[in-house]
Amino acid sequence: MNQMTDNTVYAGGFANPPVASAHAFRAAMNAMARPGMVQEITGAIPPEGISHAAGSLLLTLCDPETGVFLAPDVDSAALRGWLTFHTGAPIVSAEQADFALGGWGALMPLDRFPIGTAEYPDRSTTLIVEVAGFDAPNATLIGPGIKDTAQMALPDPVACAGNAMLYPLGVDFFFTSGSQVAALPRSTQILAEA
């Protein structure tokens, strides 16, 4: 590892960890509590290849007890080193992941990720899906945290609806782009295309 790579690994964490992580955690929880609503989430400057929002989620939600799967489209030595240095989170296979990061296509198929068990539905994976943006909604959402309906752009509404049908099992989603995040918990039902 050369000096440039060393600096990349050590740089990019929260400048003021207690304050920045609290703000990022609030944004993440607000996104989960209000499915489809886009939130600003900042603070991290991750290695090239992932968004600031994804990096902020990783710094906020991961620790030495949470296994992270990196899909091939984002996996790099720089990201592995950065994640290990700042969170201590181990890199694991999809089948062991508490969190998974990547683009939609690189994360597929969904059925390789843990969906929890009847006794422990929380033992499932949360996917952090990098997307191009949040324009052009293609799905209508209903469920907890949504007053009537919400509109959201999903990479594959059919696959997301299939995941929701597993509730209380299933995976949860954060969608990230730039400094923005939106969430789709497994409890959210997808009615139809918007």
Side-chain angles (χ1 to χ4, degrees):
M1 190 180 289
N2 64 34
Q3 187 64 35
M4 182 70 82
T5 305
D6 284 344
N7 291 339
T8 302
V9 167
Y10 302 134
F14 289 135
N16 184 345
V19 173
S21 63
H23 286 293
F25 184 77
R26 176 176 284 185
M29 294 305 99
N30 284 343
M32 262 309 160
R34 303 281 184 263
M37 183 179 288
V38 176
Q39 308 281 328
E40 286 289 321
I41 184 169
T42 58
I45 303 173
E48 191 173 323
I50 69 168
S51 67
H52 292 276
S56 296
L57 283 173
L58 291 171
L59 290 186
T60 303
L61 302 176
C62 298
D63 61 33
E65 304 299 316
T66 55
V68 178
F69 171 74
L70 300 175
D73 63 333
V74 298
D75 194 2
S76 68
L79 179 55
R80 285 173 177 251
W82 180 85
L83 187 61
T84 300
F85 177 76
H86 289 287
T87 71
I91 307 300
V92 299
S93 69
E95 295 76 14
Q96 300 173 309
D98 296 300
F99 292 94
L101 171 67
W104 183 262
L107 288 168
M108 294 302 105
L110 280 182
D111 64 7
R112 64 185 172 152
F113 296 103
I115 61 169
T117 65
E119 298 81 15
Y120 301 101
D122 59 319
R123 292 185 182 172
S124 62
T125 304
T126 297
L127 279 70
I128 302 171
V129 183
E130 293 274 50
V131 295
F134 297 102
D135 299 333
N138 61 356
T140 301
L141 314 178
I142 61 168
I146 301 170
K147 185 174 180 181
D148 294 311
T149 63
Q151 307 297 312
M152 187 173 185
L154 297 174
D156 186 341
V158 173
C160 292
N163 177 69
M165 291 174 64
L166 301 173
Y167 184 80
L169 306 182
V171 299
D172 296 311
F173 300 98
F174 282 111
F175 296 97
T176 53
S177 180
S179 64
Q180 297 183 315
V181 61
L184 183 70
R186 70 190 88 176
S187 59
T188 301
Q189 299 299 306
I190 297 160
L191 283 180
E193 289 197 3

